[in-house]
Amino acid sequence: MIEIVSATRCIECDICVKVCPANVFDATKDGAPVIARQEDCQTCFLCEIYCPTDALYVAEVAEGPTGISEAEVEARHLFGGYARALGWKRGKAGGSEFDPTHRIRVAQ
Amino acid sequence: MPKTATAVRSAPEGLHLAADVLVLGGGPSAAWGAVAAAESGATVVLADKGYLGTSGATAPSNTGTWCVPPGDNRHTVVERRWQRTGELADQRWMLRCVDTAYRNLLKLSEWGYPFPSEDDERLYIANLRGPDYMRFMRRRVLLAGVTVLDHHPALELLSDGDAVVGAAGVGRQVEHDWRVDAKAVVLATGGCAFRERILGSAGLTGDGYLMAAEAGATLSGMEFTGKYTLAPHGSSLNKGLPFRWASFHREDGSAILGPTGEPLRNGIGDREEEVARALIEGPVYARLDQAEPALQGWLRQGQPNCFVPYDRAGIDPFSDLFRITLRAEGTVRGTGGIDIVSDDCATGVPGLYVAGDAASREIMTGAVSGGGAVNSSWALASGWWAGKGASTHARRRGGKAFRNEVRPLGQAGLRPAASPRADIAATEIIEAVRDEVTPLDKNFFRSGAGLEKSGERLESVWRDVRDHLQGEGLERIRTREAASIAAAGRWSVAAALHRSESRGMHRRTDLPGKKLSLAHRLVINGVDDFRIAGASERLAELAS
């Protein structure tokens, strides 16, 4: 579930408000977006990869919040982890040309 | 310049647009439908509950396609796949699907979608990485001149008495109502995941089924909702592929055995059955210890989403045991949906077309799951046909549109039959439906007695929904979702009871084995008072 919008990383572009398919975020007048409907989060991690500054963290538990702290996410280098694994950078798509899934299909 | 939709009226009272074709949905079939309709010269509006690019089951996934290049081999491949469909699929549809899907995959490469290459440098077009694919499709939809309304869930269809002539809903971020008058509507709203926490499920509440049924369309294959997929316990990652190379263990460490008595080394496909049986008894743990080091690397790089839960929980899935679950997938990886009556994906209701998981995929994959691959090719093909079909209908209809009085068709969750009651709430309705259609011991393994009980409970839930569930403003989105989920659950259990045999993912413990007399599809017509009938004649007609 979405758990963290880092106020120190966020540049208030509100892209997450726009792209979240579950409409989890609300924009605010003078700051970072807020998690307004956490319960609706489908734990798809897509907000993270669209975020240009890796300011969002979605924890792995889909049923409810884990309560993980921003300090822990930062210390474990988890911000932007999924984007890096895909090859997306600063909210831009990339890396699909290196997808080795065809090798997995052969192995299967 | 592509033609664009015209504004009839704008805020503050709401948004009112007119277009030739309205596409509802935001996944791949909606995108292909919108592009196809716009390329045929239609003005197109696409309205989605979420965001075109991230909505649906495809965007958060990495999905193979059923990619069968042209050639003599195609008939053999289709024939072989048909053998596995429980005799309910239709080879003519399967053949035309792989043909159109292949062409559209080539179109993607012509448009510059960054496919990977094989060792011989040829593009590998049989796989689509969800986030990249759907972001790319959004751009193609916008380039085609389509007016895209993100976060504009549809609540109901509009009819002029003869045909569907548009839809109405609410913009959940702008907080005003919208209405689009259209000469044809494509329902590409996806399947029903019954609110299971799986990838894409936020939008997949079966809204299209209820809207179509209210307009008089027929459903088929609703009993085939017994597909579940493995996931790390508590996670949303319903992706089975890594479990192809896993071992499975009970709490006490004992190995789960396969049908031959050997420890299970592959937990996907038919082997989900052994895991399901163990999960009913108690917690189950897995380890991806059958993957060689090279394969481990490919899995990590090729299926990065599958590893997000492990990395965040601090687990090495190749060496550590971790707890797993089977996630219910409703009609998303099931096969049920709105029945198609002709090659252009028409529903039989004039002006209403259907694509992707909103459509029944029984003609493609019968009683077994279309998994990712067949469903992905189906979205590529059915979206295209529905978009073309809708634009042809719009052209034929021409100036006749909007002559008669337009009436909204929505009932349950919007306009209750009796007085609204505040104690009948969407969340509780959904929980009550989930209790009947998601537990493994009720829905993976089914029995006549169990289905009877579930059916009675769902009837009572449905009566509350029909008579008393209502919301105001944005709350209508949730009451309508609850009504759609309740309707889908009720249809599914009724169809499962009607199918007095076991076939594919419909597993009746009291009636194992197929019956020759039931080697046909079951179609459902009606919402409150519905009828189930065999579709043997129609199937014969389609096959001829």
Side-chain angles (χ1 to χ4, degrees), chain B residues 426-486:
Chain B
T427 317
E428 285 75 30
I429 294 289
I430 293 169
E431 276 313 309
V433 177
R434 285 180 52 74
D435 282 346
E436 305 309 323
V437 300
T438 62
L440 290 167
D441 55 358
K442 286 186 185 172
N443 187 53
F444 191 100
F445 298 110
R446 301 168 170 184
S447 70
L451 289 166
E452 294 267 10
K453 263 190 225 144
S454 290
E456 284 164 24
R457 288 188 196 121
L458 290 174
E459 277 310 312
S460 140
V461 170
W462 174 254
R463 277 195 300 273
D464 281 345
V465 169
R466 179 196 63 196
D467 293 343
H468 307 298
L469 181 66
Q470 192 189 32
E472 298 291 334
L474 292 184
E475 200 51 35
R476 286 173 295 169
I477 302 167
R478 298 193 190 261
T479 55
R480 198 60 172 152
E481 285 177 343
S484 302
I485 286 171

Side-chain angles (χ1 to χ4, degrees), chain A residues 51-73:
Chain A
C51 176
T53 57
D54 296 335
L56 304 170
Y57 183 73
V58 178
E60 71 280 8
V61 178
E63 314 286 351
T66 62
I68 191 169
S69 70
E70 181 171 347
E72 183 184 341
V73 175

Side-chain angles (χ1 to χ4, degrees), chain A residues 19 39-40 43 48 58 62 96, chain B residues 54 114 173 197 234 236 312 478:
Chain A
V19 303
E39 171 62 21
D40 290 347
T43 317
E48 281 191 22
V58 178
S96 66
Chain B
T54 61
Q173 294 192 337
R197 292 190 177 271
S236 59
R312 294 183 182 194
R478 298 193 190 261

